[in-house]
Amino acid sequence: MPKQINMNTIPNSEAERGHVLGTFARFFRWLFGWRVMRRCLFVAACLATLTGLFYAVENWRGKQAWEKCRREQEAKGEVLDWNAYIPAPVPDEQNVFKVPKISEWFVKGLMAEAVSGEPSKSGNTNAPFSVPSRRDAKEGPVLLAEVVAVPSNGPLPPGKADAVLRFDDPVAREQAAKLFRESIGPVVEGAQGCMIVAGPLDHNNPVHLVLQADTVLTPKALAELLSPSPAPNQVWTTLGLRYCQVAQVGSNAFRVSLKPSVYTAADYLAMSQPAVPNLDLLRKALERPCARMDGDYEWPLGRPVPNFVRLRTVAQILSQRAQSYLLLGQSEAAWHELALVRNMCRLLEGSPPRKATLLVEAMIDVAITGLYTSIIEDGLRLRVWREPELAGMQSQLKDVNLLPLLHQAMNVERAGVCRTLETIPPAELKKWFYLGEVPHDLWSRLKSPRFLFIGFTPRGWMYQNMCVIALQDQMALESFDLPNNQVLLHRVDGISNQVQTAFSHFTPYTFLGGATVPNFVKAMRTLVRTQTLVNQAFIACGLERYRLAHGQYPETLDALVPQFAEKVPHEIVGGQPLKYSRTANGRFELYSIGWNEKDDGGVPGKTTAEGAWVWQ
């Protein structure tokens, strides 16, 4: 008998689908029902209220913290108001930057453009002050020496040799250097990484050397041997691997030639002559008493900035022209060029002086001043400077005081950063924080949580960062002793550790400080070293004037006062008198204790942080 099928057990797919759809419909009706929506809206309102309350509280706390910090700083005499550093307008007829071409040449653009990555409006960084960087390659290499290598116990080659040296002899290097100096004559190392020679290169007499060695010589080993080390108070500059090339011309024969980066003084003056009309225009423009670039100083990022590359290029051209004239014995012409190097710093310091100088401008000023003192040093080594030029240099040098310049620049920098953080929109802050390279795609932004953090950070956190920045900057400012013209190194040494500790971890109150607080220790070390060179150059010029008048250097520096110096500068480190003594070779030794605050007996260190700071 066939089995009967119970119709009630047969799945009804349509009924089940209807049941499922009904369940979903009821769920969505519940989900989007007024009761649930009311609860969701209540939760959203609570979250919005809490978020708004959070922002309001953080903004209030940050604002209160900043107001307290500012009051405490102002009570100490500090000025954090950016408006106090805005330079007053000056008449166009008194403004250097209103002379035709000056703004075009030496104003790069606005600070906002520098941090946004936008192209500069200043064009070519060297034109119209372009000078060929190499000699004409068609002239061929200039032969400096011919070297023959022989075994130590072997016979000498035929022909007359200027010297027979042993490769392993420690004094062989200096003996070879002496022969090279006598062959090529006085030289200086140019500011743009070239070497300038006094006499014609085609008239020098190549040195003929015989080198005794127990090993097979290579061009590299020979070049290292023939690379002399600098010696103080000598009229020469290192030749070495930078300016010489060694070629092997036989199994045991070598030729040492000068590279194309070596010029004669006359050649460099001729090559740089096309720039002279523009240099004269700059010299004439600097006769005006004021220097103020056009710009919106009310907003720190709207402030104009100089073209640092072009300023450096012009300073280097002037310096090398001065060096060339020194090698030719034309001290008056050399001083004509060198005086402009220092006067150029007015484009960085502005007018009134030090009113709104930024930290980067102050450090470029320091670098140009260091270059200026090095050219003075070249002329003193060559004994070319005469009384009128020496007196003119002292007149410029006595007015160079870099400590107040950097101190004021740090104040300006602090006030500008704080004003920017206080007023800048989040979108602009991102460009500033990332130096124009803002991540555009979603993945890059997700990989950079700081990008999102900056976009949604409360304004109060900006104020908290401003407090940290102001206090960190204040530590550096308190290391200056301006009344005594000194820097207190025991305070400077602690700045680096404190800054590192303050910004070692990412926190809402310090995340911007690491990007805005500069390397104070490096800046101040460069400053102190350069100001020491300025003081030493002032004294060295006075000593040379004394020698020209009396035939020898004085026994003490006090003999310079008052005829050759109104007063003798002291050390920037420690405030003690500079160390001076006459030497047996008719010259003198002049040095200051260095960054280590120890008297190392006039022995220089390998870095500026070591040993004494010696006037060469």
Side-chain angles (χ1 to χ4, degrees):
M1 183 176 180
K3 185 177 180 180
Q4 293 183 352
I5 299 176
N6 188 350
M7 299 300 295
N8 293 328
T9 63
I10 299 177
N12 190 335
S13 59
E14 293 185 3
E16 288 185 359
R17 284 196 297 271
H19 177 73
V20 171
L21 292 175
T23 301
F24 276 106
R26 287 192 299 273
F27 172 74
F28 280 107
R29 282 197 299 270
W30 172 84
L31 180 63
F32 293 101
W34 172 244
R35 180 178 298 178
V36 175
M37 290 296 294
R38 184 171 56 187
R39 292 175 180 174
C40 291
L41 290 173
F42 175 77
V43 172
C46 291
L47 290 176
T49 301
L50 290 175
T51 301
L53 183 62
F54 168 76
Y55 272 80
V57 171
E58 287 299 313
N59 290 342
W60 179 83
R61 292 177 67 246
K63 182 68 172 179
Q64 292 299 310
W66 170 242
E67 292 296 337
K68 179 183 177 182
C69 175
R70 182 163 57 184
R71 286 194 302 269
E72 292 175 349
Q73 293 298 310
E74 290 176 348
K76 296 179 180 180
E78 301 296 330
V79 180
L80 277 68
D81 183 9
W82 171 254
N83 293 323
Y85 300 104
I86 296 177
V90 298
D92 287 355
E93 65 275 10
Q94 298 181 17
N95 192 354
V96 174
F97 286 100
K98 289 300 181 179
V99 175
K101 298 293 185 180
I102 297 300
S103 289
E104 177 186 343
W105 292 343
F106 298 109
V107 178
K108 184 175 183 179
L110 303 182
M111 179 67 71
E113 297 172 354
V115 301
S116 67
E118 297 178 11
S120 169
K121 298 178 181 179
S122 59
N124 189 299
T125 55
N126 286 327
F129 300 97
S130 299
V131 175
S133 59
R134 303 173 68 89
R135 290 187 294 106
D136 188 354
K138 296 180 180 179
E139 298 178 4
V142 176
L143 182 63
L144 182 63
E146 292 181 333
V147 182
V148 177
V150 299
S152 299
N153 55 358
L156 298 178
K160 183 178 180 181
D162 294 305
V164 179
L165 307 177
R166 289 187 56 87
F167 179 76
D168 55 358
D169 188 349
V171 302
R173 182 190 301 268
E174 295 304 325
Q175 290 175 339
K178 182 175 181 295
L179 291 171
F180 288 171
R181 292 196 299 271
E182 295 172 350
S183 171
I184 202 170
V187 299
V188 295
E189 186 168 13
Q192 291 182 307
C194 64
M195 192 175 75
I196 306 175
V197 183
L201 292 174
D202 55 354
H203 290 175
N204 73 300
N205 298 315
V207 177
H208 297 276
L209 291 179
V210 174
L211 197 60
Q212 296 177 320
D214 295 325
T215 59
V216 177
L217 285 185
T218 63
K220 181 179 179 181
L222 179 59
E224 292 175 352
L225 173 70
L226 300 179
S227 298
S229 56
N233 301 323
Q234 296 291 333
V235 188
W236 64 286
T237 302
T238 301
L239 295 175
L241 297 172
R242 186 173 183 179
Y243 302 113
C244 297
Q245 54 191 6
V246 179
Q248 190 165 359
V249 294
S251 59
N252 63 340
F254 303 86
R255 293 170 63 92
V256 182
S257 304
L258 295 176
K259 291 182 178 179
S261 56
V262 179
Y263 305 90
T264 67
D267 284 345
Y268 185 80
L269 290 173
M271 291 161 52
S272 58
Q273 186 62 31
V276 169
N278 295 323
L279 296 176
D280 289 339
L281 190 154
L282 174 61
R283 186 178 286 107
K284 182 66 176 177
L286 286 169
E287 294 177 0
R288 296 190 174 189
C290 302
R292 187 185 190 273
M293 296 178 287
D294 287 338
D296 180 12
Y297 288 88
E298 298 292 334
W299 184 45
L301 293 182
R303 181 198 186 281
V305 293
N307 188 325
F308 301 120
V309 174
R310 186 163 292 155
L311 282 166
R312 182 189 63 184
T313 299
V314 174
Q316 291 172 339
I317 292 173
L318 286 165
S319 297
Q320 292 189 164
R321 285 182 59 83
Q323 289 174 310
S324 298
Y325 282 123
L326 287 172
L327 289 169
L328 296 176
Q330 301 177 31
S331 60
E332 184 177 357
W335 171 235
H336 180 71
E337 306 288 17
L338 183 59
L340 183 54
V341 175
R342 177 56 200 165
N343 287 336
M344 283 177 56
C345 293
R346 289 187 50 228
L347 299 177
L348 295 163
E349 296 172 359
S351 178
R354 307 180 178 96
K355 179 69 174 180
T357 303
L358 298 175
L359 184 59
V360 63
E361 292 172 315
M363 295 314 298
I364 296 296
D365 192 322
V366 169
I368 292 177
T369 303
L371 177 61
Y372 169 77
T373 59
S374 70
I375 308 306
I376 294 176
E377 187 178 9
D378 285 335
L380 290 172
R381 283 203 308 266
L382 293 165
R383 285 192 166 174
V384 177
W385 297 123
R386 294 294 176 257
E387 168 65 25
E389 298 89 48
L390 293 167
M393 292 172 204
Q394 284 190 295
S395 179
Q396 281 191 333
L397 289 166
K398 70 181 178 60
D399 294 330
V400 178
N401 193 351
L402 301 174
L403 272 65
L405 173 67
L406 185 61
H407 186 275
Q408 180 74 349
M410 288 181 176
N411 276 305
V412 173
E413 198 87 6
R414 176 173 61 176
V417 169
C418 290
R419 170 64 69 86
T420 300
L421 294 180
E422 187 176 18
T423 59
I424 191 170
E428 291 297 323
L429 178 62
K430 291 174 183 177
K431 292 182 180 180
W432 182 56
F433 189 79
Y434 285 92
L435 297 179
E437 298 180 0
V438 180
H440 296 289
D441 60 281
L442 178 62
W443 177 241
S444 297
R445 296 182 178 185
L446 292 176
K447 289 193 300 181
S448 177
R450 293 194 178 195
F451 180 87
L452 299 175
F453 188 83
I454 294 173
F456 295 99
T457 186
R459 178 64 61 180
W461 290 358
M462 297 295 183
Y463 286 117
Q464 298 284 6
N465 276 268
M466 288 159 57
C467 294
V468 174
I469 292 168
L471 294 176
Q472 294 296 324
D473 288 358
Q474 185 61 31
M475 288 192 304
L477 291 168
E478 290 177 351
S479 63
F480 288 87
D481 181 4
L482 294 183
N484 295 312
N485 203 37
Q486 297 179 45
V487 172
L488 308 177
L489 296 191
H490 64 279
R491 294 186 180 180
V492 177
D493 290 337
I495 294 175
S496 180
N497 293 333
Q498 293 185 48
V499 171
Q500 185 176 1
T501 301
F503 305 123
S504 58
H505 302 289
F506 181 85
T507 68
Y509 294 169
T510 63
F511 73 102
L512 287 174
T516 57
V517 175
N519 189 336
F520 289 127
V521 176
K522 182 179 180 181
M524 296 187 71
R525 183 180 299 162
T526 304
L527 165 81
V528 174
R529 176 72 176 107
T530 303
Q531 185 61 52
T532 298
L533 286 174
V534 169
N535 294 349
Q536 291 174 335
F538 177 84
I539 294 174
C541 288
L543 290 170
E544 186 66 8
R545 293 176 66 194
Y546 186 98
R547 186 190 70 84
L548 292 173
H550 299 281
Q552 62 179 357
Y553 294 113
E555 293 185 4
T556 66
L557 294 180
D558 293 336
L560 299 179
V561 181
Q563 183 178 0
F564 304 108
E566 295 179 7
K567 62 178 182 179
V568 177
H570 57 68
E571 293 178 332
I572 306 301
V573 179
Q576 298 299 313
L578 288 159
K579 312 306 188 285
Y580 166 79
S581 62
R582 291 191 302 190
T583 58
N585 61 355
R587 293 186 176 267
F588 64 86
E589 181 181 60
L590 179 65
Y591 71 92
S592 166
I593 62 172
W595 196 257
N596 59 7
E597 300 185 84
K598 298 178 181 178
D599 188 347
D600 294 296
V603 179
K606 295 181 180 179
T607 66
T608 56
E610 303 172 346
W613 290 338
V614 183
W615 178 263
Q616 300 287 359

